[in-house]
Amino acid sequence: MTDSTKSATLTLDGESYELPIFSPTAGPDVLDIRKLYAQAGVFTYDPGFTSTASCDSTITFIDGGKGELLHRGYPIDQLAGKSHYLEVCYLLLYGELPSATQLEDFETRVTNHTMVHEQMHNFFRGFRRDAHPMATLVGVVGAMSAFYHDSTDISDPWQREVAAIRLIAKLPTIAAMAYKYSIGQPFVYPRNDLDYAANFLHMCFSVPAEDYEVNPILSRAMDRIFTLHADHEQNASTSTVRLASSSGANPFACIAAGIACLWGPAHGGANQACLEMLKEIGSVDRIPEFIARAKDKNDPFRLMGFGHRVYKNTDPRAKVLKQSADEVLELLGVDDNPLLQVAKELEQTALNDPYFVEKKLFPNVDFYSGIILEAMGFPTSMFTPIFALSRTVGWISQWKEMIGDPQNKIGRPRQLYLGETERDYVDIENR
């Protein structure tokens, strides 16, 4: 962080306090309040931390008004259109796009770590078959610290590197195992001859009884879903990973904490909520009814998968994923899937309705990822685990950045206390 050249003056009860202002390379200026309590005896109040910068970072920048998402300065549409997931992983982890040699080495390291410890298979059998795959994922990822003791010392740069590679490599395997376990099929081991996305699809959909060939269109769509969810700045789950890691917790515990946070329907469950909305609509002829309900301020119905809390214009990730959605639906067809028929018609209706255009309620990344995963044959319960394995690299990149930050200190948010003031204990017979 550079020294501040600007400041703001806060006047409180006749006393004035100078607060430094830092200017980022992009985005609004930031008021430094770290010494506010020591100097003025007051805290700031910011529920949800929506106006508070908890860290400085060089990884991801979002401008919601412009509909802009940059990873290390590169626009997400360029990365998703020209690159692939593991190259973006390298970029997020190390700060620059790799050379051909660096990328080959990185892909080899990830590929060689995709298998999990054989004894970890026993963990899955401790869960009920009908357990949500996210519950399984939280438990198994947290348990990784019990198996990989040689990569839990966060003070050792090499152990941090090994933990990062292991998590990126093994999350698809663990997520696929969670899926297979939930449907009563045998686990499928990873294959080193397949790329990252194709390997995940193979582990999810192949069975020992017959050969399974991954369609390149589906593999590309899966890779784009991974890429478009790789990181999204200081969101709830990323902030959770950072807060957990601020205590010095091992990386596997921190990522498990991030997965647990992502499970919430307001965060990682958004594309699942989108599909559940499509099920509620049920058929194309009911779309006008639900469009009218979405416009009615007094109706609790919400059109899931449209608009975004951060992006006040179009979601830049949605533009890219729409192309993959069109390719997948053309490949697999929608004639026999009422949900996908509703999705396609709803998309066109919303894109052409003046109400939604005016309010910029365009289809977002959750809408398109949801219909792609539905078309591929994934149950909605697997949507959030796929999001989790995609976001793992972002969590790790943010974790590594925080560990290496000399300003790093344990997180300790303050509160506006509104409870009872001090009072004397009353014996039970007198209450």
Side-chain angles (χ1 to χ4, degrees):
M1 183 183 291
T2 58
D3 291 335
S4 172
T5 57
K6 297 187 290 186
S7 66
T9 302
L10 171 67
T11 302
L12 184 67
D13 295 332
E15 294 287 334
S16 295
Y17 306 93
E18 290 295 313
L19 301 174
I21 296 177
F22 293 102
S23 296
T25 54
D29 286 348
V30 176
L31 195 66
D32 183 358
I33 60 168
R34 284 175 292 179
K35 296 181 180 179
L36 182 61
Y37 178 63
Q39 293 176 348
V42 296
F43 297 133
T44 57
Y45 182 59
D46 183 21
F49 310 111
T50 56
S51 298
T52 299
S54 62
C55 64
D56 55 73
S57 180
T58 62
I59 299 171
T60 297
F61 173 74
I62 297 171
D63 187 323
K66 294 180 181 178
E68 184 177 68
L69 170 60
L70 308 177
H71 290 324
R72 305 287 192 181
Y74 294 99
I76 188 61
D77 56 336
Q78 292 184 26
L79 292 173
K82 299 179 180 181
S83 185
H84 63 278
Y85 182 66
L86 284 185
E87 185 174 47
V88 172
C89 287
Y90 187 100
L91 172 68
L92 291 171
L93 283 169
Y94 305 116
E96 298 292 342
L97 289 170
S99 67
T101 302
Q102 289 171 327
L103 181 59
E104 182 180 4
D105 172 70
F106 180 71
E107 290 177 333
T108 299
R109 285 190 290 148
V110 171
T111 299
N112 289 340
H113 279 87
T114 51
M115 286 183 64
V116 298
H117 193 290
E118 192 69 11
Q119 195 174 338
M120 290 188 75
H121 290 211
N122 296 331
F123 270 79
F124 289 86
R125 296 183 175 92
F127 293 97
R128 284 173 48 134
R129 290 280 180 178
D130 60 355
H132 195 291
M134 280 296 278
T136 308
L137 207 62
V138 170
V140 176
V141 171
M144 288 177 71
S145 57
F147 287 85
Y148 303 108
H149 301 151
D150 59 343
S151 55
T152 56
D153 182 358
I154 64 171
S155 65
D156 184 340
W158 174 246
Q159 290 200 31
R160 294 202 298 267
E161 177 71 13
V162 172
I165 296 297
R166 279 176 169 160
L167 281 159
I168 293 168
K170 297 182 193 303
L171 254 293
T173 306
I174 293 171
M177 291 172 73
Y179 172 57
K180 285 296 196 184
Y181 185 77
S182 71
I183 60 175
Q185 291 186 3
F187 298 140
V188 175
Y189 287 93
R191 277 176 40 182
N192 288 358
D193 61 320
L194 296 175
D195 64 41
Y196 194 87
N199 189 39
F200 176 66
L201 290 174
H202 176 263
M203 289 189 291
C204 286
F205 294 122
S206 67
V207 292
E210 59 186 28
D211 292 333
Y212 174 79
E213 187 172 340
V214 181
N215 187 291
I217 292 177
L218 301 185
S219 176
R220 177 60 176 156
M222 192 80 258
D223 188 89
R224 276 186 170 168
I225 288 175
F226 291 162
T227 300
L228 294 168
H229 289 86
D231 191 56
H232 210 237
E233 206 223 65
Q234 305 307 317
N235 53 80
S237 58
T238 299
S239 298
T240 298
V241 171
R242 278 184 172 264
L243 189 60
S245 67
S246 75
S247 71
N250 72 73
F252 306 110
C254 295
I255 300 305
I259 294 171
C261 180
L262 188 73
W263 195 355
H267 191 3
N271 53 8
Q272 180 174 342
C274 176
L275 261 290
E276 289 168 352
M277 175 201 69
L278 295 177
K279 291 177 183 177
E280 183 182 357
I281 295 174
S283 60
V284 171
D285 61 298
R286 297 189 67 197
I287 289 177
E289 171 195 341
F290 282 87
I291 290 287
R293 290 182 60 188
K295 296 177 182 179
D296 185 352
K297 294 180 180 179
N298 297 317
D299 193 310
F301 174 76
R302 290 180 58 205
L303 203 60
M304 304 300 295
F306 291 80
H308 195 277
R309 178 183 178 184
V310 173
Y311 301 109
K312 305 309 177 187
N313 205 306
T314 55
D315 183 339
R317 302 167 298 171
K319 297 177 184 177
V320 182
L321 208 54
K322 173 176 167 51
Q323 178 186 346
S324 285
D326 291 339
E327 292 172 356
V328 169
L329 295 185
E330 182 179 353
L331 172 70
L332 300 177
V334 300
D335 295 339
D336 297 327
N337 192 323
L339 254 64
L340 297 180
Q341 292 175 9
V342 171
K344 290 293 288 182
E345 185 63 28
L346 183 61
E347 175 197 26
Q348 292 306 310
T349 301
L351 287 174
N352 295 297
D353 189 302
Y355 174 87
F356 293 100
V357 174
E358 179 185 346
K359 293 187 175 297
K360 302 186 186 303
L361 295 174
F362 302 109
N364 59 33
V365 69
D366 298 309
F367 178 82
Y368 291 117
S369 63
I371 63 176
I372 288 173
L373 296 174
E374 165 71 19
M376 286 181 177
F378 284 104
T380 53
S381 62
M382 273 300 293
F383 289 6
T384 316
I386 289 170
F387 192 164
L389 79 89
S390 308
R391 183 55 57 82
T392 295
V393 68
W395 291 331
I396 295 168
S397 300
Q398 301 273 351
W399 170 77
K400 286 183 68 179
E401 182 179 66
M402 181 176 182
I403 295 298
D405 185 353
Q407 300 181 101
N408 178 27
K409 58 177 64 178
I410 188 168
R412 180 60 169 86
R414 299 296 183 170
Q415 65 177 10
L416 172 63
Y417 178 70
L418 299 175
E420 297 287 347
T421 54
E422 183 178 347
R423 50 183 174 172
D424 291 329
Y425 178 83
V426 179
D427 292 333
I428 193 167
E429 60 270 15
N430 295 325
R431 293 178 211 162

